[in-house]
Amino acid sequence: MSELVVKNVTKRFGGLTAVNDVSFSVKSGEILGLIGPNGAGKTTLFSCLTGFHRPDAGSVVFEGRDIAGWSPNNICSIGIARTFQVVQILQGMTVLENVQVGAFLRYPGAAAARDKAIKVLEKVGMSKRAPVKAVNLTLPEKKRLEVAMCLATDPKVLMLDESMAGLTPTEIQEATSMLRQLREDGLALIVVEHVMEAIMPISDRIMVLDSGAKIAEGTPREIASNERVISAYLGDKYVKRCKV
Amino acid sequence: MANNKRFIYTLLIVLGIAIVLPLVLKARFQQHILVLVMLYAVLGEAWNIMAGYAGMVSIGQAAFFGIGAYVSTILFVKFQVNPWIGFIAAGLVTAAFATVIGLPFSRLRGRYFAIGTIALGQMIKVVFENWPWVGGATGMIIDMKKGSFWNFQFHASKTGYYYIALGMLVFVVVYIYIMERSKMGFYFKAIRENEDVATGLGVNKTKYKLLAIAISAGITGMCGTILAQYQLYVEPAYMFDHTISVTIALIAVFGGSGNIIGPILGSVILMPISELTRAWMGSSGSGIDLMIYGVFIVLMCVFEPDGLMGIARKAGRRLEARREKEVAA
Ligand SMILES: Nc1ncnc2c1ncn2[C@@H]1O[C@H](COP(=O)(O)OP(=O)(O)OP(=O)(O)O)[C@@H](O)[C@H]1O
Ligand SMILES: [Mg+2]
């Protein structure tokens, strides 16, 4: 049982405050949905939690240690992994090799890493694509591969940045059932997604960012009827009209 | 698996040929070419570890090469240390030097790294030119001893150097073969493909970059000792010659980097061409060999960026496809 506790994290780019004093927590066996309009700071928040950006203020505590400012590889080593919004894979290597790179973190031996990678590919339903060069995959496949690479590092916390973008409704069904399975396995998941049909049913809680700040947090039902959220997405006028 | 076996058998056959070759090619000039082919095959493989696998393109290998040559020569000339110990020391000192210098270098990406290595090669040369203790620009002469394996000197026939380089090549090829299949090899390639992905998956990129640089430099430094013993003198203009750096990179790229065979193929084809053109054109033709290289490389870059090995792989695939068609028919 582990918990990631984020307190007052702030990240500025020059004059722009991309993440403004954000606090939240997520624990094993839980899916936290993270939504917000474009430019809200979702991706930047991920980068602050995984070492790709150093937060200007705040703490990120995981299993008793403040990991704010740690390097990405050390953060991955203690069990926190993320995917990228713009898909990032090892293009020139095969699907299996991509996953093997992740597996080597916990399984230094070549044979063990290979076994682990094969297992992970089975889990995400990509076994058939194992020998294909990653560059030749379709975009949804690449996104799925990226999830597999993360899973190969045996994370306790997994952050997915729009991994379901561009999927067909049936593929979204598959993806969400996989996320539910991961939650059963005891992972803590933070899922950024614009597709509401995908994120609403699977999230235990949802957090909403707007212009860097957290404007709401609650169950999907609470969020769907939250005025501030509706106005952030659709503008104040829409809220007023709803009220009438 | 069957493929692996075939690969190893092929390598063994090539090794057999390499062992008997000096018994057939006995003329002094032929043996000179053989030594260079072998030496540059090793140098190309060393470059391959750092550039082909880990993605750090160096055009300054002469810095490591020259340092290695000087380490064993200084030990021998100043302290009467046996060149074999100097050979090992050359590897260790060069690797240590590369680790220290690699720390700032490993932060440079892509072409900035390459440019940095060019500057490094030139800088080290100037340092040695202005260092009186090691003979400044004139360098040092290695006293002639009785030709023997123990003395690391061979006079009547140059094949001794050839076999030492061949031994090194076997060692390096076996090392790369194992590395390719291990965590280190995967991590090197991951860094080459995408540093962010690699670090995101737990790869300590600084550590693995430094490892690649140190291993590559160490092997290159040991090759420096072989050339120093072969020429029996060291001199900055010769040991730190920028041409060495360029030739190493060209050979590997021409043959195909990022795989075991490429650099060997590159050396086997390009070194004789360069030495023969230099011989035909006389000393006045210095530079012609490099021009011919240039033409080769441009053609290669335009038509097959994966080098000769890329061509071979494509041909293999086409053959296989044809065979499958015949079987189907
Ligand atoms: N490296 C950077 N340098 C400067 N500004 C940045 C950088 N990264 C992000 N920003 C800015 O920070 C703000 C938050 O961006 P971020 O990508 O985190 O938003 P997001 O919520 O992920 O948006 P989207 O839904 O479009 O992915 C934006 O205004 C963006 O332009
Ligand atoms: Mg984003």
Side-chain angles (χ1 to χ4, degrees), chain A residues 170-231:
Chain A
T170 26
E171 286 168 337
I172 288 180
Q173 282 299 320
E174 283 172 24
T176 51
S177 71
M178 188 177 92
L179 295 189
R180 286 202 177 94
Q181 181 58 50
L182 293 174
R183 173 172 59 187
E184 300 254 299
D185 296 346
L187 266 77
L189 291 143
I190 309 178
V191 181
V192 167
E193 208 58 64
H194 282 298
V195 189
M196 290 303 149
E197 296 78 14
I199 197 152
M200 284 299 180
I202 58 165
S203 299
D204 298 300
R205 276 184 298 135
I206 287 186
M207 173 167 100
V208 189
L209 287 186
D210 185 25
S211 309
K214 174 167 147 181
I215 57 167
E217 182 180 336
T219 62
R221 191 183 293 269
E222 286 162 9
I223 293 300
S225 57
N226 184 305
E227 270 177 32
R228 278 191 78 184
V229 176
I230 296 169
S231 78

Side-chain angles (χ1 to χ4, degrees), chain B residues 127-266:
Chain B
V127 168
F128 275 81
E129 276 171 351
N130 293 289
W131 190 2
W133 187 65
V134 296
T138 32
M140 286 180 287
I141 290 183
I142 298 171
D143 282 337
M144 194 121 113
K145 290 257 170 125
K146 197 168 106 337
S148 79
F149 185 75
W150 172 249
N151 283 337
F152 211 127
Q153 287 191 18
F154 309 92
H155 308 301
S157 150
K158 295 291 182 192
T159 49
Y161 300 108
Y162 173 84
Y163 285 119
I164 290 173
L166 177 59
M168 256 192 101
L169 183 63
V170 169
F171 185 81
V172 171
V173 164
V174 170
Y175 165 74
I176 294 181
Y177 185 84
I178 295 170
M179 180 198 83
E180 263 193 322
R181 285 153 183 76
S182 74
K183 176 171 165 175
M184 193 193 284
F186 275 83
Y187 276 15
F188 282 174
K189 282 197 218 165
I191 289 171
R192 175 191 71 197
E193 292 290 323
N194 189 324
E195 283 188 16
D196 283 340
V197 173
T199 51
L201 294 176
V203 178
N204 183 339
K205 71 175 176 194
T206 312
K207 173 180 156 189
Y208 279 91
K209 279 181 168 186
L210 288 182
L211 256 174
I213 295 173
I215 294 167
S216 174
I219 297 167
T220 305
M222 290 170 89
C223 289
T225 298
I226 297 179
L227 190 70
Q229 293 297 122
Y230 178 71
Q231 300 291 0
L232 291 177
Y233 78 96
V234 293
E235 170 194 67
Y238 183 47
M239 293 299 171
F240 293 104
D241 189 353
H242 184 59
T243 312
I244 295 176
S245 302
V246 175
T247 307
I248 291 172
L250 289 190
I251 277 176
V253 170
F254 180 74
S257 62
N259 68 74
I260 296 188
I261 306 298
I264 300 176
L265 214 56

